[in-house]
């Protein structure tokens, strides 16, 4: 283990943005170095390359934390990177080789996301999607106060259809060799809870926290629970407050 300080790198997913981690960062406190990266949401390969750039800029050991589609990104970004010491999945996809966000969200019944999406073309080709303003609260953040959910709907970052359909490229998913932690809600309407349980079991997660009634927007609605899982990961790899 390096003597350098461990940095926690938080990677948001689709329909959110880096400020969605604010409550989690507050609860992590001053004992940890934290960076909330701005995930481009354009495609798994390019988004992972950007996160690798962030890690390289930090120049020391990191724990990668991904929310939702951000789980796809941290899984690809951590491949063959010795700086990454652990992975934390927050209502997130933890894919195997070739699996995409779309295939994993559809592996078990229950997701109601598709009917809430609005789609439009982008100049670089293809389409991007966002959650319709009127549907956002119930779909994405049902346990968040209405005024805050309305603000989140307006500041959400759209994602390309390509990103959601991109399969994991690495032939050696890092969760097979790195310690992982999972925290997820049983009221997630984007990713069925059965999928979260499946991915956590498949990864042999060192820690699993399932929160009753928690929506997909757990980093906002349950920041203390999310922070606790991240702290457990940091301590599990030998760094952070005691």
């Amino acid at each position: 283990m390096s003597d350098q300080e461990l940095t926690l790198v938080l990677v948001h997913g689709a329909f959110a943005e880096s400020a969605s981690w604010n409550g989690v960062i507050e609860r992590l406190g001053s004992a940890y170095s934290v960076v909330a990266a701005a995930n481009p949401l354009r495609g798994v390969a390019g988004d992972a390359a950007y996160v690798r750039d962030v890690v390289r800029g930090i120049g020391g050991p990191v724990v990668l934390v991904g929310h939702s589609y951000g789980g796809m990104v941290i899984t690809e970004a951590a491949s063959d990177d010795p700086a990454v010491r652990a992975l934390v999945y927050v209502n997130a996809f933890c894919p195997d080789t070739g699996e995409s966000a779309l295939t994993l969200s559809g592996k078990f019944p229950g997701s109601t996301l598709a009917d809430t999406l609005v789609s439009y073309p982008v100049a670089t080709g293809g389409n991007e999607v966002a959650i319709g303003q009127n549907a956002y609260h119930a779909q994405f953040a049902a346990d968040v106060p209405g005024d805050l959910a309305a603000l989140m709907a307006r500041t959400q970052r759209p994602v390309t259809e390509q990103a959601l359909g991109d399969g994991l490229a690495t032939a050696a998913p890092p969760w097979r060799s790195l310690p992982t932690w999972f925290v997820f809600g049983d009221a997630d309407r984007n990713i069925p809870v059965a999928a979260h349980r499946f991915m956590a079991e498949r990864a042999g997660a060192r820690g699993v926290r399932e929160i009753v009634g928690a929506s997909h927007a757990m980093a906002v609605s349950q920041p203390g629970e999310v922070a606790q899982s991240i702290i457990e990961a940091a301590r599990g790899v030998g760094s952070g407050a005691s």
Side-chain angles (χ1 to χ4, degrees):
M1 180 72 187
S2 169
D3 291 332
Q4 290 178 281
E5 181 182 19
L6 188 72
T7 299
L8 311 174
V9 179
L10 315 181
V11 181
H12 68 82
F15 322 123
E17 39 86 51
S18 55
S20 62
W21 295 109
N22 284 357
V24 175
I25 294 170
E26 289 172 1
R27 285 158 180 81
L28 289 171
S30 60
Y32 299 94
S33 177
V34 184
V35 173
N39 188 356
L41 305 177
R42 301 295 88 183
V44 172
D47 296 344
Y50 172 73
V51 171
R52 287 193 197 101
D53 288 342
V54 172
V55 172
R56 195 174 298 115
I58 290 167
V62 303
V63 171
L64 291 183
V65 182
H67 172 243
S68 191
Y69 165 79
M72 296 288 307
V73 175
I74 67 169
T75 305
E76 186 67 43
S79 179
D80 296 322
D81 189 339
V84 181
R85 301 301 167 81
L87 300 167
V88 182
Y89 293 90
V90 180
N91 270 348
F93 295 110
C94 178
D96 205 346
T97 305
E99 289 179 338
S100 69
L102 286 176
T103 58
L104 283 168
S105 61
K107 190 175 182 68
F108 298 90
S111 175
T112 57
L113 176 63
D115 290 340
T116 71
L117 296 177
V118 293
S119 172
Y120 44 89
V122 290
T124 51
N127 297 312
E128 69 176 12
V129 294
I131 298 177
Q133 296 274 326
N134 293 336
Y136 190 95
H137 190 186
Q139 176 62 39
F140 195 84
D143 57 349
V144 171
D147 55 348
L148 178 55
L151 180 63
M152 292 167 63
R154 290 175 173 88
T155 59
Q156 67 175 297
R157 295 273 303 279
V159 64
T160 64
E161 290 178 347
Q162 176 188 327
L164 297 178
D166 281 345
L168 186 74
T170 180
W175 49 261
R176 294 191 181 278
S177 55
L178 290 174
T180 62
W181 278 259
F182 284 70
V183 55
F184 52 85
D186 71 355
D188 186 345
R189 298 181 184 177
N190 281 25
I191 307 171
V193 67
H196 291 307
R197 292 168 182 156
F198 163 78
M199 291 183 286
E201 182 176 359
R202 180 173 68 176
R206 188 175 296 187
V208 178
R209 180 176 275 106
E210 180 174 332
I211 310 303
V212 175
S215 74
H216 192 65
M218 282 189 68
V220 177
S221 67
Q222 305 282 344
E225 296 283 3
V226 173
Q228 189 57 41
S229 288
I230 296 170
I231 289 168
E232 287 174 7
R235 291 175 175 169
V237 296
S239 181
S242 58

